[in-house]
Amino acid sequence: MQVDEDEIYWRHRKEDEELEWSHDSTRLIAQLTQCFSTAMVGSRSWIGGFFHRTNTKQNDKFVDYPLTPLEEERLQRLQERLDVPYDETSLDHQESLRALWNCAFPNVTLKGLISEQWKDMGWQGANPSTDFRGCGIISLENLLFFARKYPASFHRLLLKKDGDRATWEYPFAAAGINISFMLIQMLDLCSEGKPRCLPGMNFVKLLGEDEDAFDDLYCIAFEMVDAQWLAMHASYMNFNEVLQATRKQLERELSLEDINKIQDLPAYNLLYQ
């Protein structure tokens, strides 16, 4: 698969003693996002197929469980969100992108929806719409929700305010899209009907309590990624390891018996550091 090819590519690049990284920030963002953004490439049908293959073993152990009418309704609405691609001709989508910029950099005037300024947020290029392939509009909605509901946390991560940071940091926006993708996979949201894994089953209960549970979980996961990044003293080569470590921790928290609402997750407190 392409992800594996990218990992091999970067491993070989790291072993090359003669490799000299450019100190130009524009090239750095492009290099980092090329490594991180393979999850976004391809149609949703491909993504659904990938999820199906990776979840085969857990599906064998699946035990059916009932949903309340409210849980079923909210799960369906969430799954419908996954089907919506980012459309750069849509005025609503354009407005959401502008709103994200205004939340991120309220004192900086955006020159256009296609502008080199977007690289300051960690997009791959001057046109953020090209980074939404595969994950679609939900990844933009997640980022915008984070910026609006937890602005202090959002800016702390965006501007890398905490900890002893690496020389080569992860690009914020590209990381955010990968977190959306990771959660969709982890919660088995592309299954026919309802999730067939324990974290996904328990998540549906949280969704019944709060329709914003997925977006809140995204914000928690972003905080966990950054905390794991700092704990591992990670650099660009370690991003996939950080993401996997975050996923395992989040799966453990979602499997706890006393989790009845999103605020019960131990990592929820990271949003209020």
Side-chain angles (χ1 to χ4, degrees):
M1 292 182 61
Q2 187 173 355
V3 173
D4 295 330
E5 292 173 357
D6 280 352
E7 290 176 352
I8 293 171
Y9 169 76
W10 284 103
R11 192 177 302 119
H12 288 171
R13 290 287 297 269
K14 184 181 179 184
E15 292 171 354
D16 185 354
E17 296 179 356
E18 297 180 356
L19 176 64
E20 294 182 358
W21 286 98
S22 168
H23 289 274
D24 179 85
S25 61
T26 301
R27 283 189 60 192
L28 172 61
I29 292 294
Q31 290 164 343
L32 289 175
T33 50
Q34 182 180 13
C35 180
F36 298 158
S37 64
T38 53
M40 289 105 67
V41 178
S43 66
R44 172 127 188 276
S45 61
W46 176 86
I47 292 175
F50 177 73
F51 290 157
H52 176 76
R53 290 193 295 274
T54 56
N55 288 328
T56 300
K57 291 184 178 180
Q58 68 187 27
N59 290 350
D60 292 341
K61 300 178 181 179
F62 173 67
V63 176
D64 196 11
Y65 59 100
L67 297 181
T68 67
L70 182 60
E71 290 170 350
E72 186 171 4
E73 177 186 343
R74 289 181 173 177
L75 176 61
Q76 182 177 352
R77 282 206 294 264
L78 176 57
Q79 290 175 325
E80 287 171 354
R81 289 173 64 190
L82 307 183
D83 282 326
V84 182
Y86 180 82
D87 180 1
E88 59 184 318
T89 67
S90 165
L91 295 180
D92 288 341
H93 293 187
Q94 292 175 11
E95 184 57 34
S96 293
L97 196 54
R98 288 192 185 94
L100 178 63
W101 176 269
N102 292 332
C103 288
F105 304 110
N107 299 319
V108 180
T109 301
L110 179 65
K111 296 177 182 178
L113 291 179
I114 299 178
S115 168
E116 294 295 315
Q117 289 174 288
W118 288 106
K119 296 177 183 178
D120 295 337
M121 199 186 298
W123 298 101
Q124 183 170 351
N127 185 359
S129 67
T130 62
D131 287 349
F132 290 120
R133 295 188 303 266
C135 237
I137 190 64
I138 195 168
S139 53
L140 173 57
E141 293 172 344
N142 290 155
L143 280 167
L144 189 53
F145 180 92
F146 190 14
R148 285 172 167 168
K149 186 169 182 179
Y150 306 104
S153 174
F154 176 87
H155 283 97
R156 178 161 41 80
L157 270 56
L158 169 65
L159 302 177
K160 309 293 195 299
K161 290 183 176 181
D162 286 351
D164 183 15
R165 315 301 306 201
T167 301
W168 307 109
E169 278 289 314
Y170 65 85
F172 178 81
I177 292 182
N178 276 270
I179 291 169
S180 296
F181 182 90
M182 180 269 287
L183 289 177
I184 295 167
Q185 181 184 15
M186 182 189 77
L187 300 174
D188 195 25
L189 293 178
C190 284
S191 278
E192 295 274 339
K194 48 197 173 184
R196 304 170 69 87
C197 61
L198 182 58
M201 295 177 201
N202 289 340
F203 167 75
V204 174
K205 299 175 185 176
L206 304 183
L207 194 60
E209 295 295 322
D210 181 1
E211 190 166 13
D212 291 333
F214 182 80
D215 299 272
D216 274 314
L217 189 63
Y218 170 87
C219 302
I220 294 169
F222 217 138
E223 279 282 7
M224 293 174 73
V225 164
D226 194 73
Q228 188 68 43
W229 178 272
L230 292 174
M232 292 175 60
H233 304 287
S235 188
Y236 60 91
M237 280 293 298
N238 309 118
F239 184 81
N240 287 335
E241 298 170 44
V242 170
L243 200 62
Q244 288 303 311
T246 299
R247 172 173 173 162
K248 289 179 182 178
Q249 179 61 30
L250 200 51
E251 285 175 332
R252 285 192 290 268
E253 294 198 11
L254 282 168
S255 299
L256 296 173
E257 293 182 357
D258 57 347
I259 304 299
N260 298 309
K261 56 185 185 298
I262 201 77
Q263 292 82 1
D264 292 334
L265 291 170
Y268 178 77
N269 292 328
L270 289 173
L271 291 168
Y272 296 98
Q273 287 182 340

Coordinates of all heavy atoms in Angstrom, one line a residue, residues 209-255:
E209 N -25.4 10.5 24.2 CA -25.5 11.5 25.3 C -25.2 12.9 24.7 O -25.6 13.9 25.3 CB -24.4 11.2 26.4 CG -24.8 9.9 27.1 CD -26.0 10.0 27.9 OE1 -26.3 11.1 28.5 OE2 -26.8 9.0 28.0
D210 N -24.4 13.0 23.7 CA -23.9 14.3 23.1 C -23.7 14.1 21.6 O -22.8 13.4 21.2 CB -22.7 14.7 23.9 CG -22.1 16.1 23.4 OD1 -22.8 16.7 22.5 OD2 -21.1 16.5 23.9
E211 N -24.4 14.9 20.8 CA -24.3 14.8 19.4 C -22.9 15.3 18.9 O -22.5 14.9 17.8 CB -25.4 15.5 18.7 CG -25.4 15.3 17.2 CD -26.7 15.7 16.5 OE1 -27.5 16.5 17.2 OE2 -27.0 15.3 15.4
D212 N -22.2 16.1 19.7 CA -20.9 16.6 19.4 C -19.8 15.7 19.8 O -18.6 16.0 19.8 CB -20.7 18.0 20.0 CG -21.6 19.0 19.3 OD1 -22.0 18.9 18.2 OD2 -21.9 20.0 20.0
A213 N -20.1 14.4 20.2 CA -19.1 13.5 20.8 C -18.0 13.3 19.9 O -16.8 13.2 20.3 CB -19.8 12.2 21.2
F214 N -18.2 13.1 18.6 CA -17.1 12.9 17.6 C -16.2 14.1 17.5 O -15.0 13.9 17.6 CB -17.6 12.5 16.2 CG -16.5 12.2 15.3 CD1 -15.9 10.9 15.3 CD2 -16.1 13.1 14.3 CE1 -14.9 10.6 14.4 CE2 -15.1 12.8 13.5 CZ -14.5 11.6 13.5
D215 N -16.8 15.3 17.4 CA -15.9 16.5 17.3 C -15.1 16.7 18.6 O -14.0 17.1 18.6 CB -16.8 17.7 17.0 CG -17.5 17.5 15.7 OD1 -17.0 17.8 14.6 OD2 -18.7 17.0 15.7
D216 N -15.8 16.5 19.8 CA -15.1 16.6 21.0 C -14.0 15.6 21.2 O -12.9 15.9 21.6 CB -16.1 16.4 22.2 CG -16.8 17.7 22.6 OD1 -16.1 18.7 22.7 OD2 -18.0 17.7 22.8
L217 N -14.2 14.3 20.7 CA -13.2 13.3 20.7 C -12.0 13.7 19.9 O -10.9 13.4 20.2 CB -13.8 12.0 20.3 CG -12.9 10.7 20.5 CD1 -12.7 10.5 21.9 CD2 -13.6 9.5 19.9
Y218 N -12.3 14.3 18.7 CA -11.3 14.8 17.9 C -10.3 15.8 18.6 O -9.1 15.7 18.5 CB -11.9 15.5 16.6 CG -10.9 16.2 15.8 CD1 -10.2 15.6 14.8 CD2 -10.7 17.6 16.0 CE1 -9.3 16.3 14.0 CE2 -9.8 18.3 15.2 CZ -9.1 17.7 14.2 OH -8.2 18.3 13.4
C219 N -10.9 16.7 19.3 CA -10.1 17.7 20.1 C -9.3 17.0 21.1 O -8.1 17.4 21.3 CB -11.1 18.7 20.7 SG -12.1 19.6 19.5
I220 N -9.9 16.0 21.8 CA -9.1 15.3 22.8 C -8.0 14.5 22.2 O -6.8 14.5 22.7 CB -10.1 14.3 23.5 CG1 -11.1 15.1 24.4 CG2 -9.3 13.4 24.4 CD1 -12.2 14.2 24.9
A221 N -8.2 13.9 21.0 CA -7.2 13.1 20.3 C -6.1 14.0 19.9 O -4.9 13.7 19.9 CB -7.8 12.4 19.1
F222 N -6.4 15.2 19.4 CA -5.3 16.2 19.0 C -4.4 16.5 20.2 O -3.2 16.6 20.1 CB -6.0 17.5 18.4 CG -5.2 18.0 17.3 CD1 -5.9 18.5 16.1 CD2 -3.8 18.1 17.3 CE1 -5.2 19.1 15.0 CE2 -3.1 18.7 16.2 CZ -3.8 19.1 15.1
E223 N -5.0 16.8 21.3 CA -4.3 17.1 22.5 C -3.4 15.9 22.9 O -2.2 16.0 23.3 CB -5.2 17.4 23.7 CG -5.7 18.8 23.7 CD -4.6 19.8 24.2 OE1 -3.5 19.4 24.4 OE2 -4.9 21.0 24.4
M224 N -3.9 14.7 22.8 CA -3.2 13.5 23.1 C -2.0 13.3 22.1 O -0.9 12.9 22.6 CB -4.1 12.2 23.0 CG -5.2 12.2 24.1 SD -6.4 10.9 23.9 CE -5.4 9.4 24.4
V225 N -2.2 13.6 20.9 CA -1.1 13.5 19.9 C 0.0 14.4 20.3 O 1.2 14.0 20.3 CB -1.6 13.8 18.5 CG1 -0.5 14.1 17.5 CG2 -2.5 12.7 17.9
D226 N -0.3 15.7 20.6 CA 0.7 16.6 21.0 C 1.4 16.2 22.3 O 2.7 16.3 22.4 CB 0.1 18.0 21.1 CG 1.2 19.1 21.1 OD1 1.8 19.4 20.1 OD2 1.5 19.6 22.2
A227 N 0.7 15.7 23.2 CA 1.3 15.3 24.5 C 2.2 14.1 24.3 O 3.3 14.0 24.8 CB 0.2 14.9 25.5
Q228 N 1.8 13.2 23.4 CA 2.6 12.0 23.1 C 3.8 12.4 22.3 O 4.9 11.9 22.5 CB 1.8 11.0 22.3 CG 2.4 9.7 22.0 CD 2.6 8.9 23.3 OE1 1.6 8.8 24.1 NE2 3.7 8.2 23.5
W229 N 3.7 13.4 21.4 CA 4.8 13.9 20.7 C 5.9 14.5 21.6 O 7.1 14.2 21.4 CB 4.2 15.0 19.7 CG 5.2 15.8 18.9 CD1 6.0 16.9 19.3 CD2 5.6 15.5 17.6 NE1 6.8 17.3 18.2 CE2 6.6 16.4 17.2 CE3 5.3 14.5 16.7 CZ2 7.2 16.4 15.9 CZ3 5.8 14.5 15.4 CH2 6.8 15.4 15.0
L230 N 5.5 15.2 22.6 CA 6.4 15.8 23.5 C 7.0 14.7 24.4 O 8.2 14.7 24.7 CB 5.8 16.9 24.4 CG 5.3 18.1 23.6 CD1 4.5 19.0 24.6 CD2 6.5 18.9 23.1
A231 N 6.2 13.8 24.8 CA 6.7 12.7 25.7 C 7.7 11.8 25.0 O 8.7 11.3 25.6 CB 5.6 11.8 26.2
M232 N 7.6 11.6 23.7 CA 8.5 10.8 22.9 C 9.7 11.6 22.4 O 10.5 11.0 21.7 CB 7.7 10.1 21.8 CG 6.7 9.1 22.2 SD 5.7 8.4 20.8 CE 7.0 7.7 19.7
H233 N 9.7 12.9 22.6 CA 10.7 13.8 22.0 C 10.8 13.5 20.5 O 11.8 13.3 19.9 CB 12.1 13.5 22.7 CG 12.1 13.7 24.2 ND1 12.0 14.9 24.8 CD2 12.1 12.8 25.2 CE1 12.0 14.8 26.1 NE2 12.1 13.5 26.4
A234 N 9.6 13.5 19.9 CA 9.4 13.1 18.5 C 9.8 14.2 17.6 O 9.8 15.4 17.9 CB 8.0 12.6 18.3
S235 N 10.2 13.7 16.4 CA 10.4 14.6 15.2 C 9.6 14.1 14.1 O 8.9 13.1 14.2 CB 11.9 14.7 14.9 OG 12.2 15.7 13.9
Y236 N 9.8 14.7 12.9 CA 8.9 14.3 11.8 C 8.9 12.9 11.4 O 7.9 12.3 11.0 CB 9.3 15.1 10.5 CG 10.8 14.9 10.1 CD1 11.1 13.9 9.1 CD2 11.8 15.7 10.6 CE1 12.4 13.7 8.7 CE2 13.1 15.4 10.2 CZ 13.4 14.5 9.3 OH 14.7 14.3 8.9
M237 N 10.0 12.2 11.6 CA 10.0 10.7 11.3 C 9.2 9.9 12.2 O 8.8 8.8 11.9 CB 11.5 10.2 11.4 CG 12.3 10.5 10.2 SD 11.8 9.7 8.7 CE 12.0 8.0 9.2
N238 N 8.8 10.4 13.4 CA 8.1 9.6 14.4 C 6.6 9.9 14.4 O 5.9 9.3 15.2 CB 8.6 10.0 15.8 CG 10.1 9.8 15.8 OD1 10.8 10.8 16.1 ND2 10.7 8.7 15.6
F239 N 6.1 10.6 13.4 CA 4.7 11.0 13.5 C 3.7 9.8 13.5 O 2.8 9.7 14.3 CB 4.3 12.0 12.4 CG 2.8 12.5 12.5 CD1 2.5 13.5 13.4 CD2 1.8 11.9 11.8 CE1 1.2 13.9 13.5 CE2 0.5 12.3 11.9 CZ 0.2 13.3 12.8
N240 N 4.0 8.9 12.6 CA 3.1 7.7 12.6 C 3.2 6.9 13.9 O 2.1 6.3 14.3 CB 3.5 6.8 11.4 CG 3.1 7.4 10.0 OD1 2.2 8.2 10.0 ND2 3.8 7.0 9.0
E241 N 4.3 6.8 14.5 CA 4.4 6.1 15.8 C 3.6 6.9 16.8 O 3.0 6.2 17.7 CB 5.9 6.1 16.2 CG 6.8 5.3 15.3 CD 8.3 5.5 15.7 OE1 8.6 5.4 16.9 OE2 9.1 5.7 14.8
V242 N 3.7 8.2 16.8 CA 2.9 9.0 17.8 C 1.4 8.8 17.6 O 0.7 8.6 18.5 CB 3.3 10.5 17.6 CG1 2.3 11.4 18.4 CG2 4.7 10.8 18.0
L243 N 1.0 8.7 16.3 CA -0.4 8.6 16.0 C -0.9 7.2 16.5 O -2.0 7.1 17.0 CB -0.6 8.7 14.5 CG -2.1 9.0 14.1 CD1 -2.6 10.3 14.6 CD2 -2.2 9.1 12.5
Q244 N -0.1 6.2 16.3 CA -0.5 4.8 16.7 C -0.5 4.7 18.2 O -1.4 4.0 18.8 CB 0.5 3.8 16.1 CG 0.3 3.6 14.6 CD -1.1 3.1 14.2 OE1 -1.6 2.2 14.8 NE2 -1.7 3.8 13.2
A245 N 0.5 5.3 18.9 CA 0.5 5.3 20.3 C -0.8 6.0 20.9 O -1.4 5.6 21.9 CB 1.7 5.9 20.9
T246 N -1.1 7.1 20.3 CA -2.3 7.8 20.7 C -3.6 7.0 20.4 O -4.5 6.9 21.3 CB -2.5 9.1 19.8 OG1 -1.3 10.0 20.1 CG2 -3.7 9.9 20.2
R247 N -3.6 6.3 19.3 CA -4.8 5.5 19.1 C -5.0 4.4 20.1 O -6.1 4.1 20.6 CB -4.7 4.8 17.7 CG -5.7 3.8 17.4 CD -5.7 3.3 16.0 NE -6.7 2.2 15.8 CZ -7.1 1.7 14.7 NH1 -6.8 2.3 13.6 NH2 -8.0 0.7 14.6
K248 N -3.9 3.7 20.5 CA -3.9 2.7 21.5 C -4.4 3.2 22.8 O -5.2 2.5 23.5 CB -2.6 2.0 21.6 CG -2.2 1.2 20.4 CD -0.8 0.6 20.6 CE -0.3 -0.2 19.4 NZ 1.0 -0.8 19.5
Q249 N -3.9 4.3 23.2 CA -4.3 4.9 24.5 C -5.8 5.3 24.4 O -6.6 5.1 25.4 CB -3.5 6.2 24.8 CG -3.9 6.9 26.1 CD -3.7 6.0 27.3 OE1 -2.9 5.1 27.4 NE2 -4.6 6.2 28.3
L250 N -6.2 5.9 23.3 CA -7.6 6.3 23.2 C -8.6 5.0 23.2 O -9.6 5.1 23.8 CB -7.8 7.1 21.9 CG -9.0 8.0 21.8 CD1 -9.2 8.9 23.1 CD2 -8.9 8.8 20.6
E251 N -8.1 4.0 22.5 CA -8.9 2.7 22.5 C -9.1 2.2 24.0 O -10.1 1.7 24.3 CB -8.2 1.7 21.6 CG -8.4 1.9 20.2 CD -7.6 1.0 19.3 OE1 -6.6 0.4 19.8 OE2 -8.0 0.7 18.2
R252 N -8.0 2.3 24.8 CA -8.1 1.8 26.1 C -9.1 2.7 26.9 O -9.9 2.2 27.7 CB -6.7 1.9 26.8 CG -5.7 0.8 26.4 CD -4.5 0.7 27.3 NE -3.6 1.8 27.1 CZ -2.6 1.8 26.2 NH1 -2.4 0.7 25.5 NH2 -1.8 2.9 26.1
E253 N -9.0 4.0 26.7 CA -9.9 4.9 27.5 C -11.4 4.7 27.1 O -12.3 4.7 27.9 CB -9.5 6.3 27.3 CG -8.1 6.7 27.9 CD -7.9 8.2 28.1 OE1 -8.9 8.9 27.9 OE2 -6.8 8.5 28.4
L254 N -11.6 4.4 25.8 CA -13.0 4.2 25.3 C -13.5 2.8 25.7 O -14.7 2.5 25.6 CB -13.0 4.3 23.8 CG -13.0 5.7 23.3 CD1 -12.8 5.8 21.8 CD2 -14.3 6.5 23.6
S255 N -12.6 1.9 26.2 CA -13.0 0.6 26.6 C -13.3 0.5 28.1 O -13.6 -0.6 28.7 CB -11.9 -0.4 26.2 OG -11.8 -0.4 24.8

